[in-house]
Coordinates of all heavy atoms in Angstrom, one line a residue:
S1 N 8.5 -7.0 13.4 CA 7.8 -8.3 13.5 C 6.4 -8.3 12.9 O 5.8 -7.3 12.9 CB 7.7 -8.7 15.0 OG 6.9 -9.8 15.3
D2 N 6.0 -9.4 12.6 CA 4.6 -9.6 12.1 C 3.6 -10.0 13.3 O 2.6 -10.7 13.1 CB 4.5 -10.7 11.0 CG 4.8 -12.0 11.6 OD1 5.6 -12.1 12.5 OD2 4.3 -13.1 11.0
W3 N 3.9 -9.6 14.4 CA 3.2 -10.0 15.7 C 1.7 -9.5 15.7 O 0.8 -10.1 16.3 CB 3.8 -9.4 16.9 CG 3.7 -7.9 17.0 CD1 4.6 -7.0 16.6 CD2 2.6 -7.2 17.6 NE1 4.2 -5.7 16.7 CE2 3.0 -5.8 17.4 CE3 1.4 -7.5 18.3 CZ2 2.1 -4.8 17.9 CZ3 0.6 -6.5 18.7 CH2 0.9 -5.2 18.5
N4 N 1.4 -8.4 15.0 CA 0.0 -7.8 15.1 C -1.1 -8.8 14.7 O -1.0 -9.4 13.6 CB -0.1 -6.6 14.1 CG -1.3 -5.7 14.5 OD1 -2.4 -6.2 14.6 ND2 -1.0 -4.4 14.4
P5 N -2.1 -9.0 15.6 CA -3.2 -9.9 15.3 C -3.9 -9.7 14.0 O -4.4 -10.5 13.4 CB -4.1 -9.8 16.5 CG -3.2 -9.4 17.6 CD -2.1 -8.4 17.0
L6 N -4.0 -8.3 13.7 CA -4.6 -8.0 12.4 C -4.0 -8.6 11.2 O -4.6 -8.9 10.2 CB -4.7 -6.5 12.2 CG -5.7 -5.7 13.0 CD1 -5.6 -4.2 12.7 CD2 -7.2 -6.2 12.5
L7 N -2.7 -8.8 11.3 CA -2.0 -9.5 10.2 C -2.2 -10.9 10.0 O -2.0 -11.5 9.0 CB -0.4 -9.2 10.3 CG 0.1 -7.8 10.3 CD1 1.6 -7.8 10.5 CD2 -0.3 -7.1 9.1
K8 N -2.8 -11.5 11.0 CA -3.1 -13.0 11.0 C -4.5 -13.2 10.4 O -4.8 -14.3 9.9 CB -3.0 -13.6 12.4 CG -1.7 -13.2 13.1 CD -0.5 -13.7 12.5 CE 0.7 -13.3 13.3 NZ 1.9 -13.7 12.7
M9 N -5.3 -12.1 10.5 CA -6.7 -12.3 10.0 C -6.8 -11.9 8.5 O -6.4 -10.9 8.0 CB -7.6 -11.2 10.8 CG -7.6 -11.3 12.3 SD -8.6 -10.0 13.0 CE -8.2 -10.2 14.7
P10 N -7.5 -12.8 7.8 CA -7.5 -12.6 6.3 C -8.1 -11.2 5.9 O -7.6 -10.6 5.0 CB -8.5 -13.7 5.9 CG -8.2 -14.9 6.8 CD -8.0 -14.1 8.2
A11 N -9.0 -10.7 6.6 CA -9.6 -9.4 6.4 C -8.8 -8.3 7.1 O -9.2 -7.1 6.9 CB -11.1 -9.4 6.7
G12 N -7.9 -8.6 7.9 CA -7.2 -7.6 8.6 C -6.4 -6.6 7.8 O -6.0 -5.5 8.3
F13 N -6.0 -7.0 6.5 CA -5.2 -6.1 5.8 C -5.9 -5.0 5.2 O -5.4 -4.0 4.8 CB -4.6 -6.9 4.6 CG -5.5 -7.2 3.5 CD1 -5.5 -6.4 2.3 CD2 -6.4 -8.3 3.5 CE1 -6.3 -6.7 1.3 CE2 -7.3 -8.6 2.5 CZ -7.2 -7.8 1.4
I14 N -7.3 -5.0 5.2 CA -8.1 -4.0 4.5 C -8.0 -2.7 5.2 O -7.7 -1.6 4.5 CB -9.6 -4.5 4.5 CG1 -9.7 -5.7 3.5 CG2 -10.5 -3.3 3.9 CD1 -11.1 -6.4 3.5
P15 N -8.1 -2.6 6.6 CA -8.0 -1.3 7.2 C -6.6 -0.7 7.1 O -6.4 0.5 7.4 CB -8.4 -1.5 8.7 CG -8.3 -2.9 8.9 CD -8.5 -3.6 7.5
M16 N -5.6 -1.5 6.7 CA -4.2 -1.0 6.6 C -3.8 -0.5 5.2 O -2.8 0.0 5.1 CB -3.2 -2.1 7.0 CG -3.4 -2.7 8.4 SD -2.1 -3.9 8.8 CE -2.6 -4.3 10.4
L17 N -4.8 -0.6 4.3 CA -4.5 -0.2 2.9 C -4.1 1.3 2.8 O -3.4 1.7 1.9 CB -5.6 -0.6 2.0 CG -5.8 -2.1 1.7 CD1 -7.0 -2.3 0.9 CD2 -4.6 -2.6 1.2
N18 N -4.7 2.1 3.7 CA -4.4 3.5 3.6 C -3.1 3.9 4.3 O -2.8 5.1 4.4 CB -5.6 4.3 4.2 CG -6.8 4.3 3.3 OD1 -6.6 4.3 2.1 ND2 -8.0 4.3 3.8
G19 N -2.5 2.9 4.9 CA -1.2 3.2 5.6 C -1.1 2.5 6.9 O -2.1 2.4 7.7
S20 N 0.1 2.0 7.3 CA 0.3 1.4 8.5 C 1.9 1.3 8.7 O 2.6 1.5 7.8 CB -0.3 0.0 8.5 OG 0.5 -0.9 7.8
P21 N 2.3 0.9 9.8 CA 3.7 0.7 10.1 C 4.3 -0.4 9.2 O 5.5 -0.5 9.1 CB 3.8 0.4 11.6 CG 2.6 0.9 12.2 CD 1.5 0.7 11.2
Y22 N 3.4 -1.3 8.6 CA 3.9 -2.4 7.9 C 4.0 -2.2 6.4 O 4.2 -3.2 5.7 CB 3.0 -3.6 8.2 CG 2.8 -3.8 9.7 CD1 1.6 -3.5 10.3 CD2 3.8 -4.3 10.5 CE1 1.4 -3.6 11.6 CE2 3.6 -4.5 11.8 CZ 2.4 -4.1 12.5 OH 2.3 -4.2 13.8
H23 N 3.7 -0.9 6.0 CA 3.7 -0.6 4.6 C 4.7 0.6 4.3 O 5.0 1.3 5.2 CB 2.4 -0.1 4.1 CG 1.3 -1.1 4.1 ND1 0.7 -1.6 5.2 CD2 0.7 -1.7 3.0 CE1 -0.2 -2.5 4.8 NE2 -0.2 -2.5 3.5
R24 N 5.1 0.6 3.1 CA 5.8 1.9 2.6 C 5.2 2.1 1.3 O 4.8 1.1 0.5 CB 7.3 1.8 2.5 CG 7.8 0.8 1.6 CD 9.3 1.2 1.1 NE 10.2 1.2 2.2 CZ 10.9 0.2 2.7 NH1 10.7 -1.0 2.1 NH2 11.7 0.3 3.7
F25 N 5.0 3.4 0.9 CA 4.4 3.6 -0.4 C 5.4 4.4 -1.3 O 6.1 5.3 -0.9 CB 3.2 4.5 -0.2 CG 2.0 3.8 0.4 CD1 1.9 3.7 1.8 CD2 1.0 3.2 -0.3 CE1 0.9 3.0 2.4 CE2 0.0 2.5 0.2 CZ -0.1 2.5 1.6
H26 N 5.4 3.9 -2.6 CA 6.3 4.5 -3.6 C 5.3 5.1 -4.7 O 4.3 4.6 -5.0 CB 7.1 3.5 -4.3 CG 8.1 2.8 -3.3 ND1 9.2 3.3 -2.8 CD2 8.0 1.6 -2.7 CE1 9.8 2.5 -2.0 NE2 9.0 1.4 -1.9
K27 N 5.7 6.3 -5.2 CA 4.9 6.9 -6.2 C 5.6 6.7 -7.6 O 6.8 7.0 -7.7 CB 4.8 8.4 -6.0 CG 3.8 9.2 -6.9 CD 3.7 10.6 -6.5 CE 3.0 10.8 -5.2 NZ 1.5 10.6 -5.3
S28 N 4.8 6.2 -8.5 CA 5.4 6.0 -9.8 C 5.6 7.3 -10.6 O 5.2 8.4 -10.2 CB 4.4 5.1 -10.7 OG 3.3 5.9 -11.1
I29 N 6.4 7.2 -11.7 CA 6.5 8.4 -12.6 C 5.2 8.7 -13.2 O 4.3 7.7 -13.3 CB 7.7 8.3 -13.5 CG1 7.4 7.0 -14.5 CG2 9.0 8.0 -12.8 CD1 8.4 6.9 -15.6
P30 N 5.0 9.8 -13.8 CA 3.7 10.0 -14.5 C 3.5 9.0 -15.6 O 4.5 8.8 -16.4 CB 3.9 11.5 -15.1 CG 4.8 12.1 -14.1 CD 5.8 11.0 -13.7
Q31 N 2.3 8.5 -15.8 CA 2.1 7.5 -16.8 C 1.3 8.1 -18.0 O 0.1 8.5 -17.9 CB 1.2 6.5 -16.2 CG 1.8 5.7 -15.0 CD 3.1 4.9 -15.3 OE1 3.0 4.0 -16.2 NE2 4.2 5.2 -14.7
P32 N 2.0 8.3 -19.1 CA 1.3 8.9 -20.3 C 0.0 8.2 -20.6 O -1.0 9.0 -21.0 CB 2.4 8.7 -21.4 CG 3.6 8.5 -20.7 CD 3.4 7.8 -19.4
Q33 N -0.2 6.9 -20.5 CA -1.4 6.2 -20.9 C -2.5 6.5 -19.9 O -3.6 6.1 -20.2 CB -1.1 4.8 -21.0 CG -0.8 4.0 -19.8 CD 0.6 4.0 -19.3 OE1 1.3 4.9 -19.7 NE2 0.9 3.1 -18.4
L34 N -2.2 7.1 -18.8 CA -3.2 7.4 -17.7 C -3.3 8.9 -17.6 O -3.5 9.4 -16.5 CB -2.8 6.7 -16.5 CG -2.7 5.2 -16.4 CD1 -2.2 4.7 -15.1 CD2 -4.0 4.6 -16.8
N35 N -3.1 9.7 -18.6 CA -3.2 11.1 -18.6 C -2.2 11.7 -17.6 O -2.5 12.6 -16.8 CB -4.6 11.6 -18.3 CG -5.6 11.2 -19.3 OD1 -5.2 11.3 -20.6 ND2 -6.8 10.9 -19.0
N36 N -1.0 11.1 -17.5 CA 0.1 11.5 -16.7 C -0.2 11.4 -15.2 O 0.4 12.0 -14.3 CB 0.5 12.9 -16.9 CG 1.2 13.0 -18.3 OD1 2.1 12.1 -18.6 ND2 1.1 14.0 -19.1
R37 N -1.2 10.5 -14.8 CA -1.5 10.3 -13.4 C -0.3 9.4 -12.8 O 0.4 8.7 -13.5 CB -2.8 9.6 -13.1 CG -4.0 10.4 -13.6 CD -5.3 9.8 -12.9 NE -5.5 8.4 -13.2 CZ -6.2 8.0 -14.3 NH1 -6.7 8.9 -15.2 NH2 -6.3 6.8 -14.6
Q38 N -0.1 9.5 -11.5 CA 0.9 8.7 -10.8 C 0.2 7.7 -9.9 O -0.7 8.0 -9.3 CB 1.8 9.6 -10.0 CG 2.7 10.5 -10.9 CD 3.6 11.5 -10.1 OE1 3.1 12.5 -9.5 NE2 4.8 11.2 -9.8
H39 N 0.8 6.5 -9.9 CA 0.3 5.5 -9.0 C 1.0 5.4 -7.7 O 2.2 5.7 -7.6 CB 0.5 4.1 -9.7 CG -0.6 3.7 -10.6 ND1 -2.0 3.6 -10.1 CD2 -0.7 3.4 -11.8 CE1 -2.7 3.3 -11.0 NE2 -2.1 3.1 -12.1
E40 N 0.3 5.2 -6.6 CA 0.8 4.8 -5.4 C 1.1 3.4 -5.2 O 0.1 2.6 -5.3 CB -0.1 5.3 -4.2 CG -0.3 6.8 -4.1 CD 1.0 7.4 -3.3 OE1 1.8 6.7 -2.8 OE2 1.0 8.7 -3.2
I41 N 2.3 2.9 -5.1 CA 2.6 1.5 -5.0 C 3.0 1.1 -3.6 O 4.0 1.5 -3.1 CB 3.8 1.2 -6.0 CG1 3.6 1.8 -7.4 CG2 4.0 -0.3 -6.0 CD1 2.4 1.2 -8.1
A42 N 2.1 0.2 -3.1 CA 2.3 -0.2 -1.7 C 3.3 -1.3 -1.6 O 3.2 -2.3 -2.4 CB 1.1 -0.6 -1.0
Q43 N 4.3 -1.3 -0.7 CA 5.3 -2.4 -0.5 C 5.3 -2.7 1.0 O 5.1 -1.8 1.8 CB 6.7 -2.0 -1.1 CG 6.7 -1.8 -2.5 CD 6.6 -3.1 -3.3 OE1 7.2 -4.2 -3.0 NE2 5.7 -3.1 -4.3

């Protein structure tokens, strides 16, 4: 559920960017144009 009060606050998403029960993170394949760095993609 989206019950958490932080999800209702416009600035509430900021402290969750490093991880929360409401996210999952996917890692991209190495990107040649970024010196083969990989991106963390939050969903």
